[in-house]
Amino acid sequence: MRSPKVILENLQKHSNKEVYGYERLYRNLYNHDFYLQAYQNIYANKGAMTPGIDGITFDGLGNRRITQLINSLKNHSYQPNPVKRVYIPKKNGKKRPLGIASSDDKLVQEIIRMILESIYEPTFSNYSHGFRPTRSCHTALLQIQHNFTGIRWFIEGDIKAYFDTIDHHILIEILRRRIKDEAFIELIWKFLRAGYLEKWEYNATFSGVAQGSGFSPILANIYLNELDSYIEEYAKVFNQGKTRRHNNEYCQRQSTYQRYINAGRKIWDTISEDEKAERIKEAKRLKRDSQKYPSKKQMDDSYKRIQYTRYADDFLIGVIGSREDAERIKADIKRFLQDKLKLELSDEKTLITSGKDKARFLSYDITVCKDAATKKTKRGQSRLYNDRIKLYVPKEKWFGKLLQYGVLKIINKRGEKEKWKPLQRDDYMYLKPSEMVLKYNEQIRGLYNYYCLANNVSVLNKFYYIMEYSLYKTIAGKYKITMTQAKLKYTKNKEFAVPYETVHGTKYAVLYNKGFTRVKKAYAGEVDIMPEYSHMYKPKEIFRRYNKCTCELCRKHTKNICIHQVGSMAELTEKTPWEYVMRKKKRKTLVVCEDCYDIIHIK
């Protein structure tokens, strides 16, 4: 059979042909290499070894198990297991349902995801950023910063319980436009209707896709691509005019300034130095006077624009127009979602905000800058910063993290200024000092990496100060010394560096000290570059190791190969030969023959 890479590339070649119908997709599920590729893609994911309702993990995956799975798909007896529903906390204190699929179902879903992504990913809107290769929250925010210049109103869109309310019939109808293989459609339908177990009680699913399942992100994007297309068509009708009309007040004052300059040039050689200084002073005053006014009409009925960016089920629309225009756009989108997609726009979270105020999107505050400062350009002095989008770190985000970590105590005394006091972390007392530093670094870098695009990212220095002294106090509490002693104990060349021993000698865990400068590029790639997908399906090390058909323990060559996998490297103690080999190779997987696999699992 052909390699998954070749198959997926061929599918992608036809993706931009709107009339092309994909047939015979289901037969790709008979390809043994697709299962190895699927396993390669997901085996290292967090939670990959979490068992579903059948209690089976990826440990032991091999030829026999894959062949059995393929046979059930061939005779159409394959039936996905219900997902195991668990709840994870959200930032607002509520809980989000998460569906944990069985390991075999994860493999099949990953193959479906790869096929669907090859078909649909190149056709998705450039305004969509959630769950897509090389795109992220950062690319969405940079697109807003680039495209939303001069907007007057924000519409903060949020779809209520999106993943739980996706209509199965509409989703299947959308898929059938491109996919003409009913066996493949039927397989997706089986997953959608598989149901879920909560407290060991079965619940049927009549709508929605399980968050946490391997192909739910691509299905969610396929569904909401209908909204992207609708807004792009809506913008073609709504957008008016090529440019705003000139502002008369600005033009009058600019003309006065220009006439004064021209008159001065004619008499410049005939006037005294004092008169020259006076004319220069007056010219500057007239220039400042003209710059108090925008050069174009800010509320020009003949010029209207819509800008749009979406990340998963959250979207932000920028409107150049009136408040009534923004209200009408919101109502039209709400009607479209209800009538065409059977989704509900959340009235609580879908807000219309003035560009002068701050809209909240992807945990950033977004506003339109009003700045009359000028900068010299090729065309002369220009107000380059006016009407530009600025991104800000909301105070409650970094402040809330300090409270969440339990490192901040606020002292309020009547008549005195509020004081912030760093606290030691009792839950970190059992850690080694080097491990404490790594934990603090992870939390500091994590917040900075997300908010590095913000214009005010330097405000995180306040966050850093509290975290830094909380670390000193935690180490001091562990050794029952003063905070100053703890700081001096490990400070070397102006760095707080805690030594720790490794097999390669002494190394140092250094507290983050590189500051908080603004970054202007997304870590995940550029917004307007269409990603290349072939590298995503390139077979990696486990694919090659498996196909060697050689046991990595006894070195026996056999076709009956399977994979032994552990959840994390911390589970390996080196007390057994296979643990020693896995630790030495720094791998969570070991390709072994069935005899060695049985020996590994002898209790």
Side-chain angles (χ1 to χ4, degrees):
M1 287 190 173
R2 293 182 301 170
S3 74
K5 178 177 180 289
V6 172
I7 294 169
L8 295 168
E9 284 179 344
N10 286 338
L11 292 176
Q12 186 185 343
K13 286 176 184 176
H14 301 290
S15 60
N16 285 314
K17 300 174 184 176
E18 293 184 8
V19 296
Y20 188 84
Y22 287 89
E23 300 176 351
R24 303 170 72 189
L25 294 176
Y26 191 78
R27 65 175 181 166
N28 293 309
L29 294 153
Y30 307 156
N31 188 332
H32 192 280
D33 285 352
F34 252 119
Y35 293 87
L36 296 180
Q37 186 60 60
Y39 177 68
Q40 173 70 62
N41 289 349
I42 63 178
Y43 85 97
N45 292 349
K46 185 178 179 181
M49 286 291 287
T50 304
I53 64 167
D54 56 4
I56 300 173
T57 67
F58 285 128
D59 185 30
L61 181 70
N63 285 337
R64 294 184 191 275
R65 187 165 155 189
I66 292 174
T67 301
Q68 185 179 356
L69 186 54
I70 290 173
N71 288 337
S72 68
L73 286 159
K74 282 183 176 179
N75 61 29
H76 297 272
S77 64
Y78 172 78
Q79 180 60 48
N81 288 311
V83 297
K84 181 169 68 176
R85 175 166 283 190
V86 297
Y87 290 87
I88 57 173
K90 294 170 70 175
K91 293 178 181 178
N92 59 8
K94 297 180 181 179
K95 291 188 175 181
R96 175 183 286 113
L98 193 68
I100 300 174
S102 301
S103 54
D104 285 352
D105 295 341
K106 289 176 185 176
L107 288 177
V108 177
Q109 285 184 13
E110 177 61 14
I111 296 172
I112 295 172
R113 184 200 66 79
M114 287 190 287
I115 292 171
L116 291 177
E117 189 168 89
S118 293
I119 295 170
Y120 286 99
E121 175 61 33
T123 69
F124 285 154
S125 168
N126 280 332
Y127 303 107
S128 165
H129 296 265
F131 315 123
R132 295 184 62 189
T134 75
R135 294 181 178 232
S136 66
C137 295
H138 281 188
T139 60
L141 291 161
L142 286 174
Q143 187 179 71
I144 289 168
Q145 198 166 46
H146 182 267
N147 289 357
F148 280 49
T149 300
I151 68 101
R152 292 291 164 261
W153 302 95
F154 293 110
I155 303 174
E156 306 168 47
D158 183 271
I159 299 169
K160 186 180 289 186
Y162 171 57
F163 280 89
D164 296 331
T165 55
I166 291 175
D167 187 276
H168 292 169
H169 294 279
I170 295 175
L171 176 60
I172 294 298
E173 180 188 334
I174 293 169
L175 291 172
R176 280 196 174 116
R177 294 175 196 167
R178 301 297 306 271
I179 298 171
K180 307 303 179 184
D181 184 342
E182 282 303 314
F184 190 76
I185 294 289
E186 181 191 10
L187 180 60
I188 294 175
W189 187 263
K190 283 182 178 180
F191 274 107
L192 294 175
R193 290 300 177 98
Y196 64 92
L197 281 186
E198 186 172 1
K199 297 180 180 179
W200 295 107
E201 182 178 336
Y202 175 78
N203 297 271
T205 47
F206 300 105
S207 65
V209 294
Q211 292 189 66
S213 65
F215 66 178
S216 62
I218 186 70
L219 290 178
N221 271 336
I222 290 170
Y223 201 78
L224 273 189
N225 191 57
E226 300 295 302
L227 174 63
D228 301 338
S229 300
Y230 170 75
I231 293 182
E232 286 185 40
E233 292 301 317
Y234 192 98
K236 291 177 182 178
V237 177
F238 180 85
N239 293 350
Q240 296 178 21
K242 292 184 178 180
T243 184
R244 289 188 179 95
R245 288 179 292 186
H246 288 288
N247 182 7
N248 291 335
E249 291 178 325
Y250 172 82
C251 292
Q252 289 170 4
R253 284 161 177 77
Q254 186 67 14
S255 296
T256 302
Y257 163 74
Q258 199 60 50
R259 286 195 300 271
Y260 188 81
I261 291 293
N262 292 337
R265 285 173 182 162
K266 293 177 181 178
I267 61 171
W268 193 255
D269 294 332
T270 63
I271 60 177
S272 66
E273 292 299 321
D274 290 342
E275 289 175 321
K276 287 180 180 179
E278 187 63 32
R279 290 198 72 88
I280 291 172
K281 183 178 179 181
E282 179 62 14
K284 288 181 178 180
R285 187 193 68 77
L286 291 172
K287 182 69 173 176
R288 286 195 304 269
D289 189 41
S290 69
Q291 289 174 347
K292 292 177 183 178
Y293 301 90
S295 61
K296 301 292 180 67
K297 285 188 175 182
Q298 299 300 288
M299 296 305 296
D300 184 355
D301 293 338
S302 66
Y303 182 82
K304 294 182 179 182
R305 287 290 185 275
I306 286 181
Q307 296 294 344
Y308 167 74
T309 295
R310 179 176 66 82
Y311 186 92
D313 57 333
D314 294 329
F315 60 87
L316 187 70
I317 293 176
V319 180
I320 297 178
S322 64
R323 170 87 189 203
E324 291 72 24
D325 289 328
E327 294 281 4
R328 187 170 64 256
I329 292 167
K330 176 184 172 181
D332 290 342
I333 292 172
K334 183 174 183 177
R335 192 179 307 110
F336 170 81
L337 290 172
Q338 286 176 339
D339 296 346
K340 301 297 183 181
L341 300 179
K342 294 187 179 178
L343 297 173
E344 184 180 353
L345 203 61
S346 172
D347 290 327
E348 300 172 356
K349 298 180 181 179
T350 303
L351 308 174
I352 294 177
T353 308
S354 170
K356 299 174 184 178
D357 299 324
K358 291 177 180 177
R360 182 67 56 86
F361 186 66
L362 298 178
S363 296
Y364 271 72
D365 278 341
I366 302 173
T367 189
V368 180
C369 175
K370 293 298 179 185
D371 190 345
T374 61
K375 186 176 181 179
K376 191 174 182 179
T377 66
K378 292 179 181 179
R379 296 180 297 174
Q381 293 291 120
S382 296
R383 286 174 283 193
L384 291 181
Y385 311 107
N386 197 40
D387 277 347
R388 298 284 183 180
I389 290 292
K390 285 202 171 183
L391 307 174
Y392 291 103
V393 185
K395 180 180 177 180
E396 64 264 28
K397 296 299 178 182
W398 60 266
F399 181 74
K401 283 291 183 184
L402 295 175
L403 297 178
Q404 178 187 331
Y405 297 148
V407 298
L408 175 65
K409 181 180 180 181
I410 302 172
I411 301 172
N412 284 308
K413 290 184 179 179
R414 184 176 295 177
E416 294 184 12
K417 190 178 179 180
E418 179 181 274
K419 293 182 180 179
W420 290 10
K421 181 181 178 183
L423 299 176
Q424 71 180 34
R425 297 176 77 163
D426 294 337
D427 55 330
Y428 280 11
M429 287 294 190
Y430 71 94
L431 296 174
K432 296 176 183 177
S434 59
E435 293 172 343
M436 291 182 194
V437 173
L438 295 177
K439 287 278 188 181
Y440 274 82
N441 280 350
E442 180 183 340
Q443 291 159 0
I444 292 167
R445 283 199 187 102
L447 194 67
Y448 171 55
N449 286 345
Y450 187 74
Y451 285 109
C452 62
L453 301 179
N455 292 79
N456 68 332
V457 68
S458 61
V459 76
L460 294 185
N461 282 298
K462 297 178 182 178
F463 171 82
Y464 178 78
Y465 173 83
I466 298 296
M467 293 290 281
E468 178 187 8
Y469 280 87
S470 169
L471 172 62
Y472 300 154
K473 285 192 172 185
T474 305
I475 293 175
K478 182 180 180 70
Y479 292 114
K480 295 180 172 57
I481 57 179
T482 67
M483 183 181 69
T484 302
Q485 289 172 330
K487 183 179 178 181
L488 294 175
K489 180 180 174 71
Y490 295 114
T491 299
K492 183 179 181 181
N493 296 327
K494 296 183 179 181
E495 288 185 334
F496 190 79
V498 180
Y500 62 97
E501 299 300 323
T502 70
V503 293
H504 302 293
T506 303
K507 291 189 176 181
Y508 290 88
V510 180
L511 180 64
Y512 179 81
N513 60 358
K514 295 182 180 178
F516 302 97
T517 56
R518 185 182 169 210
V519 175
K520 297 182 181 180
K521 246 184 163 181
Y523 289 137
E526 299 298 330
V527 173
D528 53 357
I529 295 177
M530 182 60 72
E532 296 294 333
Y533 305 108
S534 59
H535 72 278
M536 296 173 59
Y537 312 110
K538 186 177 179 180
K540 298 181 183 177
E541 49 89 16
I542 205 163
F543 197 106
R544 293 189 292 269
R545 286 162 56 204
Y546 188 96
N547 282 335
K548 282 182 180 179
C549 296
T550 301
C551 177
E552 294 177 344
L553 271 182
C554 70
R555 312 307 299 175
K556 181 171 69 176
H557 189 77
T558 175
K559 288 185 178 180
N560 294 326
I561 286 289
C562 57
I563 300 171
H564 170 58
Q565 180 175 348
V566 296
S568 68
M569 295 295 291
E571 297 178 23
L572 303 173
T573 63
E574 296 190 25
K575 292 180 179 179
T576 58
W578 53 89
E579 287 179 310
Y580 174 78
V581 172
M582 294 172 80
R583 291 278 290 187
K584 186 178 180 181
K585 293 184 176 183
K586 297 181 180 179
R587 288 173 176 162
K588 296 193 295 182
T589 59
L590 198 65
V591 177
V592 294
C593 63
E594 291 184 339
D595 292 338
C596 287
Y597 181 80
D598 291 339
I599 292 171
I600 289 171
H601 288 80
I602 291 175
K603 297 292 183 182

